[in-house]
Amino acid sequence: MGKQFNRRKFLLYSAAGIGSSIFLKACANNSPNTGNSPASSTDTSPVAGTAGQTIKIGILHSLSGTMAISEKSVVDAEKLAIKEINAAGGVLGKQIEAVVEDGASNWDTFREKATKLIDQDQVAVVFGCWTSASRKNVKPVFESKDHMLWYPVQYEGQECSKNIFYTGAAPNQQIEPSVDWLLKNKGKEFFLVGSDYVFPRTANNIIKAQLEALGGKTVGEDYLPLGNTEVTAIITKIKQVLPNGGVIYNTLNGDSNVAFFKQLKGAGLTPDKYPSMSVSIAEEEVKAIGVEYLKGHYAAWNYFQTVDTPANKKFVAAFKKEYGEDRVTNDPMEAAYIAVYLWKQAVEKATTTDLEKVRAAAYGQTIDAPEGKVTVNANHHISKIVRIGQVRQDGLFDIVYATPTPVEPVPWNQFVKETKGFACDWSDPAKGGKYKKG
């Protein structure tokens, strides 16, 4: 999907710091508990990203185009983590230097920028992407060059790459629990609407299989090209197949959500009869779309700004101090923020930025994250608490459901017959990215 999307005028914040490189110097002291103390010695072998007195890392997100509405704030969160780490002494005694690139909501551009970061800038690691389309486009780059990407957004699963660490939710940590909750609390008839690319289509295949297994029913399914705002036909279909109300499961991304929720309300499809569950709308998107269109609707994530933990209060306060009291935090931002810290801990355990050693050192890393305790598994995903929130008047979320403990990630879906019974374990070379459980 190489199409370039134009930037929308309602995007909230300018892309501060866009350039070929940004050096983030130590100037803050709000560093969360990282779990591990810095290593007492360093590996002096010449490895990528460690030239001079800095460790170079790549940041690759959309700072322009239809996905900038979501991704610019993820960059802000990553910059905050870097700033805090630098203020606390850096990594292996070196400061982190961030090279920031704009994927521009263009999947070919993502691939080109990933290649540049690895080959030209020689970064030690890359933090980046939002859409699965962008991740799928850079995945062959990281695999062919045996490099490392930390990906911070919930996704459709059905993937377990040696070269990617996934700090967002797998489907069993977001999609599946939200479908269970909807079936128990909101109804059994579902209309599925999503953007036309890999995440929504794969997610909806999982949802359809889950509904069939649990006694629910898919009454309709429709897609829009990413960035398309022609939603009238979809609204009409929803009214036709759900004349008395029903559940709308929403996997739209980017600008399409603005038109969809405005027209949904305009057509009288209110959340009391037509509750929607979104998996790509968080606090930032609510603010951009308008709370008047989203109040009463639901979203499934692992983190909301309203999570009541000491670590989250510290994170929210630090973010607002850095970027302004009017800013909000959300799940992908938090997952990106903790990804930087988890990588730091792995580097310090390995006492080097050597990719193979850092990869092995990442397994078992844990952190008292704003969302709660998380742990990196050998399948390159992390354990996470599942939460469902309802949009309230101030644009934040009331948490209406949460699992009592973190849920272990399952990359290969157990509702889809082709992957039922499969798992992933990169700590065992004989198992790797996909193996059949005994």
Side-chain angles (χ1 to χ4, degrees):
M1 296 176 64
K3 182 179 179 181
Q4 176 70 51
F5 297 98
N6 293 324
R7 182 173 176 177
R8 304 291 294 180
K9 66 180 181 180
F10 58 78
L11 297 181
L12 296 177
Y13 310 109
S14 64
I18 303 175
S20 62
S21 67
I22 298 174
F23 184 59
L24 301 169
K25 297 183 181 294
C27 55
N29 294 310
N30 296 318
S31 177
N33 178 15
T34 60
N36 292 342
S37 59
S40 59
S41 63
T42 63
D43 187 332
T44 58
S45 60
V47 291
T50 57
Q53 296 304 306
T54 66
I55 295 177
K56 288 201 295 185
I57 70 170
I59 292 178
L60 177 57
H61 293 286
S62 294
L63 298 171
S64 59
T66 190
M67 289 308 303
I69 187 175
S70 298
E71 294 189 62
K72 288 194 293 184
S73 291
V74 173
V75 175
D76 289 341
E78 289 163 343
K79 288 182 181 178
L80 176 62
I82 294 166
K83 183 175 182 179
E84 291 175 347
I85 291 168
N86 281 344
V91 181
L92 301 180
K94 295 187 175 187
Q95 296 283 282
I96 300 173
E97 179 184 355
V99 183
V100 182
E101 292 290 352
D102 180 11
S105 304
N106 182 298
W107 320 140
D108 291 335
T109 301
F110 267 93
R111 184 176 61 251
E112 293 163 5
K113 296 294 187 179
T115 303
K116 172 190 175 290
L117 286 168
I118 296 170
D119 290 346
Q120 181 177 321
D121 300 302
Q122 296 188 330
V123 296
V125 64
V126 177
F127 300 89
C129 301
W130 177 295
T131 67
S132 288
S134 63
R135 189 193 71 256
K136 291 286 189 183
N137 241 31
V138 303
K139 179 172 171 277
V141 175
F142 286 91
E143 292 180 341
S144 66
K145 298 176 183 297
D146 198 21
H147 215 274
M148 182 180 291
L149 170 70
W150 288 71
Y151 175 67
V153 185
Q154 50 75 27
Y155 82 120
E156 71 282 358
Q158 307 301 66
E159 178 179 299
C160 190
S161 173
K162 172 188 173 185
N163 300 91
I164 302 175
F165 283 90
Y166 309 77
T167 58
N172 76 301
Q173 297 171 310
Q174 184 197 34
I175 293 171
E176 293 171 29
S178 66
V179 170
D180 285 340
W181 185 86
L182 288 165
L183 286 170
K184 293 174 183 175
N185 295 279
K186 297 297 174 181
K188 295 186 180 298
E189 293 187 324
F190 283 53
F191 190 98
L192 312 180
V193 56
S195 296
D196 193 5
Y197 70 100
V198 60
F199 163 64
R201 286 193 174 273
T202 307
N204 285 340
N205 284 339
I206 291 170
I207 293 169
K208 287 184 288 186
Q210 185 178 358
L211 289 174
E212 183 177 357
L214 301 179
K217 183 179 181 182
T218 304
V219 298
E221 180 178 5
D222 214 334
Y223 298 90
L224 283 175
L226 195 62
N228 188 293
T229 58
E230 299 298 324
V231 300
T232 302
I234 294 178
I235 301 293
T236 300
K237 290 179 185 178
I238 293 173
K239 292 173 70 174
Q240 288 174 345
V241 298
L242 292 172
N244 300 313
V247 174
I248 301 169
Y249 205 101
N250 172 39
T251 52
L252 290 169
N253 261 282
D255 301 352
S256 302
N257 276 305
V258 181
F260 180 72
F261 280 98
K262 286 184 176 180
Q263 291 197 36
L264 198 68
K265 183 179 180 181
L269 277 60
T270 53
D272 55 331
K273 290 184 65 178
Y274 293 89
S276 72
M277 179 70 72
S278 296
V279 289
S280 294
I281 289 180
E283 289 86 344
E284 190 83 356
E285 290 76 21
V286 172
K287 189 173 183 179
I289 295 168
V291 67
E292 66 270 27
Y293 304 109
L294 286 162
K295 182 183 176 183
H297 288 289
Y298 298 90
W301 293 102
N302 308 102
Y303 167 87
F304 292 102
Q305 183 176 307
T306 47
V307 169
D308 187 14
T309 65
N312 186 44
K313 291 176 182 177
K314 187 175 183 179
F315 169 57
V316 173
F319 189 85
K320 288 179 175 290
K321 181 179 179 181
E322 184 71 15
Y323 298 111
E325 285 296 320
D326 62 329
R327 295 292 300 275
V328 292
T329 59
N330 64 32
D331 184 287
M333 293 163 62
E334 190 262 1
Y337 175 82
I338 66 173
V340 182
Y341 274 99
L342 289 167
W343 168 81
K344 168 190 180 287
Q345 291 181 195
V347 170
E348 290 178 339
K349 181 179 179 182
T351 68
T352 176
T353 57
D354 177 80
L355 291 165
E356 200 65 36
K357 294 178 180 178
V358 172
R359 186 178 295 118
Y363 306 147
Q365 289 296 330
T366 187
I367 188 172
D368 182 19
E371 67 182 88
K373 183 179 179 180
V374 301
T375 304
V376 180
N377 289 24
N379 61 19
H380 286 204
H381 296 67
I382 65 176
S383 57
K384 304 171 77 71
I385 291 173
V386 179
R387 295 180 171 95
I388 293 172
Q390 185 176 30
V391 181
R392 64 192 196 191
Q393 184 61 46
D394 63 357
L396 300 181
F397 287 82
D398 280 327
I399 299 170
V400 298
Y401 169 80
T403 56
T405 57
V407 175
E408 296 301 313
V410 180
W412 298 111
N413 192 265
Q414 301 304 295
F415 282 105
V416 177
K417 63 180 181 179
E418 290 82 6
T419 53
K420 184 177 178 62
F422 284 93
C424 170
D425 183 356
W426 282 109
S427 68
D428 184 348
K431 295 179 178 177
K434 189 177 183 182
Y435 72 96
K436 186 75 171 179
K437 293 187 293 185

